[in-house]
Structures are given as structure tokens and as C-alpha cells.
Amino acid sequence: MSEKIFNVAVIGVGIGRSHIVEGYVPNADKFNVLALCDLNVERMTPIADEFGVERRVASFDDVLAMDDIDIIDICTPPMLHFPMVMAALKAGKHVICEKPLVGSLAQVDEVMAQEKLSKGKLMPVFQYRFGDGIAQAKAIIDAGIAGKPFVGTVETLWERGADYYAVPWRGKWASELGGVLMTHAIHQHDLFTYLMGDVKRLFGRVATRVNPIEVEDCVTASLELENGALGSFTATLGSAGNMTRLRFAFENVSFESDHAAYNPGDKPWTITPRNAETADRIAALLKDWKHVPSRFETQMARFHDALVGKAPLPVTSADSRRALEIVTAFYHSSTSHEDVPLPIATQHPCYQSWVPAQFRAA
Ligand SMILES: NC(=O)c1ccc[n+]([C@@H]2O[C@H](COP(=O)([O-])OP(=O)(O)OC[C@H]3O[C@@H](n4cnc5c(N)ncnc54)[C@H](O)[C@@H]3O)[C@@H](O)[C@H]2O)c1
């Protein structure tokens, strides 16, 4: 039995199709995909047929005008997120938006201000946060069993080539808004702060070595966290094969994620307690573990909980802001060759945009 079923319009049927398959179909007692919107009608039609969605439009403005749509789920290329999120919030809709939420800290602050004025709720997508592996690690840390965080490493070793960059918006600052740091590693870096805490300072390097693109496809960073722990990030699109790995050393426990590139939070993680007492505490905590379906299935289900007032939003604009602040510091460090302290102030040279000046729209 469920409460209200919310009517959804999915905008953009690339990853939007995965939102339907993983997020809305398994939660059919909570959501009904009532409309699809895509400029590419040839791409949209078979997907609409597949899921029996009768209403198909090419114009986003048409969706804004539909009174029976409760949720607008934005799955368009990154440069469209800011205007679409703002318009959807102003139209009084609930909003889901793919990553990156927007293209600067200035824009995320504008979105957060609009959110306060709007009746709709906004949930950015960070679906890697959901699954048994990540949820168990989070539970152990939040219960105080892991103890003091020492160090963590995040490796995003993915493979992308010419076929991937044949899609025109990819690889360009004006439309993708960033490279491997922004588009691919943002999920894993979010998991790092989700488990380890806020970043205090960061030294980052970026390079474009794999593909003939404007944006970066290799990055590394050294981080210090507010709680004193240290971290390192490595990401590339030049790996042979795709692999994600997060590893954390805490006072009482070490954790290593599963290596599934696009779902590292799903399968149980390797959890190594330092002693028998910690092992017993973990066993007691996880004894009656309730399965957490991974990715969009749980993120969308928990969005429903938030909409009906049962729980807070599972991912917030503040979570996106934190991720984008790391991105801002990272790009600034890569050009200034400085160790960049956070928070990034409104007068910081990259607050309005991290895009290199020569690639900014006139
Ligand atoms: N969360 C994840 O794991 C994940 C995975 C892939 C992509 N993404 C993000 O999702 C977004 C889309 O990526 P994608 O790979 O699906 O791209 P895509 O190019 O495959 O699909 C985007 C779709 O949006 C449509 N579109 C473009 N402009 C539009 C407009 N004005 N109105 C309606 N439709 C429009 C295009 O026709 C296209 O079908 C990006 O921000 C990307 O970073 C997230």
C-alpha cells in the first residue's frame, strides 16, 4: 500500500531511461511516468513505447505548463540544468536533477535561494550513495564504531574514447562544464565526503591526455579534511577497462568498496575490524540488516518518503554545493598551483565560474 502516486515528466531520455528502469518501474506504487520530453523525437519514441508513456513532447515549456505533472526529472546535458531547475522550481514543480546540478557556486546559491521561495522540493541525483555496501559502511561510521578517520583514497579508473565524445555536448567547457572531475568522479568524491567529512583544503592537478577534448580527462588531488584526516583522489578516462575503488582507514576499521565501476555501493564492502571487540560490535549492528536496493531504486523511493513528509530529502542541494565547492577548489588549484582552502568565498575568482576564461560564453 502506498500514499500518493506522483506524476513524473522525464526530460532527456539518455540517463533518463535508467531513471525509469531503475527508479520509477520498481517504485510503481509511488510514481507514474506521465510524460517524456526530448528534442530528439526518434530517440524518444521507442522509449515512450517501451514504457507505455503516451504523452511525448519536444518542448520543455510545454511540460512546465502541464498542471497534472508533479515532478520534473531533468536529465538533459549539464549546461541546461541551471535554467531548467530554476524554471521548474518557479513553476511550482518538485524537481529531480542529474549531476552536475549546475555550473558554478554562484548558480547553486541562486538555486538554493529559489528553493526557499518555491513550494516544490529539489533533489539532485547522487545515486551511488545507495546500496548495501555503502549503507553498511555509513552505518558503522555513524554508530561511532569506526572511530577516528585517518586516510582515504578514491580511484575512478574509467575508459572513454571517441565514440563517447561523438555526442556533441561532451568534451566542451560550455556544455559539459568540466571533464572527468565534473562528469565522472563527482559521484565517488561525493561518497568520500559522505563517509569521511568536509574538506578543509585541497591541492589538485588536471591534465588532458587521453582524448582530443577541451576538458580534462586525468586528475589527482591531495586533501586535508576538517577533522584532520587526509585523502587522495585519482581519476582518469584512460584506464583499460572500468573500475572504481574507495578505501578508508579509520582508527578501528578499514573499508574497501566493491570495484563495480558504476555501482560501488551495491555489494558488501570488505570491512576489516582491527580487533575482536570491533568485529562483535559490527556484527551486532548488521545482524538484522535490511536490504538497501542500489542506485535510483532507493534514491527515488526515499524522494517519495520526503515528498509525503516521512523523511528528509535523501540528497540535497547542500550536498551538490559541497561537491561543486570541491570542483571549484580543484580547478582553481590546478591553474594557480596553490593549496586551496575551503570554503570558497563569494568574491573568490572562481565563485562565478571555474570555466577557463577563453571558453566562457561571451
Ligand atoms: N548519474 C549518472 O550516473 C549519470 C550517468 C550518465 C549521465 N549523467 C548526466 O545526465 C545528463 C545527461 O547525460 P546523458 O548521458 O543522458 O546525455 P545524452 O546526450 O545521452 O541525453 C540527453 C538527452 O537530452 C535531450 N535534450 C537536449 N536538450 C534538450 C532540451 N532542451 N529539451 C529536451 N531534451 C533535450 C537530448 O536530445 C538527449 O536525448 C548529464 O548531465 C550527465 O552528466 C548522469
Side-chain angles (χ1 to χ4, degrees):
M1 198 186 74
S2 174
E3 300 93 330
K4 180 174 160 66
I5 295 182
F6 290 86
N7 287 330
V8 183
V10 177
I11 321 297
V13 296
I15 191 72
R17 186 181 176 280
S18 302
H19 286 205
I20 300 172
V21 174
E22 295 180 42
Y24 301 126
V25 170
N27 288 302
D29 58 337
K30 300 177 173 67
F31 302 102
N32 170 38
V33 180
L34 191 63
L36 294 188
C37 170
D38 201 299
L39 294 177
N40 185 340
V41 175
E42 280 177 22
R43 191 183 194 196
M44 173 170 55
T45 302
I47 294 171
D49 289 345
E50 182 182 357
F51 298 103
V53 182
E54 295 303 327
R55 203 181 298 172
R56 306 149 189 209
V57 294
S59 159
F60 180 66
D61 287 343
D62 287 352
V63 177
L64 291 176
M66 292 174 189
D67 288 338
D68 54 359
I69 291 295
D70 303 305
I71 299 171
I72 296 189
D73 182 357
I74 298 167
C75 300
T76 49
M79 76 293 190
L80 296 173
H81 295 178
F82 176 65
M84 287 183 163
V85 168
M86 291 296 284
L89 284 175
K90 285 178 183 168
K93 305 297 187 188
H94 299 301
V95 184
I96 297 173
C97 183
E98 261 299 346
K99 54 79 191 165
L101 178 61
V102 290
S104 68
L105 289 175
Q107 286 182 346
V108 80
D109 286 343
E110 226 178 296
V111 165
M112 290 170 88
Q114 183 58 48
E115 221 182 340
K116 290 200 182 91
L117 303 174
S118 296
K119 78 173 200 285
K121 291 186 189 293
L122 167 64
M123 179 183 73
V125 167
F126 269 142
Q127 83 274 21
Y128 288 34
R129 285 188 179 196
F130 306 98
D132 288 324
I134 176 96
Q136 290 180 351
K138 178 82 172 143
I140 292 165
I141 293 165
D142 287 353
I145 298 172
K148 187 171 159 184
F150 291 155
V151 299
T153 59
V154 183
E155 295 164 287
T156 304
L157 305 176
W158 292 10
E159 182 171 17
R160 296 291 183 276
D163 54 337
Y164 179 81
Y165 285 105
V167 175
W169 64 263
R170 295 192 180 129
K172 302 186 182 83
W173 281 106
S175 43
E176 190 171 352
L177 310 175
V180 65
L181 175 64
M182 169 62 88
T183 297
H184 310 88
I186 197 167
H187 290 286
Q188 290 72 252
H189 297 170
D190 171 65
L191 297 187
F192 175 87
T193 51
Y194 182 57
L195 296 179
M196 288 284 272
D198 285 328
V199 175
K200 184 176 176 194
R201 46 199 315 130
L202 179 160
F203 186 95
R205 295 180 197 277
V206 310
T208 308
R209 297 180 56 74
V210 184
N211 286 288
I213 52 176
E214 285 175 6
V215 296
E216 82 289 344
D217 52 26
C218 298
V219 302
T220 64
S222 166
L223 303 98
E224 182 187 339
L225 304 194
E226 291 288 353
N227 58 28
L230 304 180
S232 67
F233 293 168
T234 300
T236 183
L237 300 179
S239 169
N242 293 285
M243 192 269 265
T244 295
R245 176 169 53 202
L246 298 96
R247 192 168 168 100
F248 302 96
F250 284 71
E251 189 180 2
N252 303 323
V253 189
S254 283
F255 302 93
E256 182 163 328
S257 73
D258 183 59
H259 300 175
Y262 315 125
N263 201 358
D266 182 26
K267 298 226 173 67
W269 287 14
T270 303
I271 300 171
T272 310
R274 196 172 294 281
N275 54 40
E277 186 206 330
T278 304
D280 289 347
R281 291 182 70 195
I282 293 172
L285 182 77
L286 303 183
K287 187 163 67 71
D288 299 316
W289 184 256
K290 196 167 172 301
H291 174 53
V292 179
S294 68
R295 289 172 45 105
F296 299 121
E297 181 171 348
T298 292
Q299 181 161 5
M300 300 317 187
R302 292 192 184 166
F303 187 48
H304 188 277
D305 288 346
L307 295 183
V308 299
K310 283 205 293 200
L313 283 166
V315 180
T316 65
S317 49
D319 294 325
S320 282
R321 194 185 194 289
R322 177 159 76 165
L324 295 178
E325 193 164 34
I326 291 171
V327 166
T328 307
F330 208 125
Y331 284 132
H332 183 64
S333 177
S334 73
T335 53
S336 65
H337 307 293
E338 287 167 7
D339 191 35
V340 177
L342 277 71
I344 302 285
T346 53
Q347 63 272 27
H348 187 277
C350 290
Y351 175 79
Q352 294 292 339
S353 175
W354 53 71
V355 172
Q358 69 271 31
F359 293 111
R360 284 185 206 173

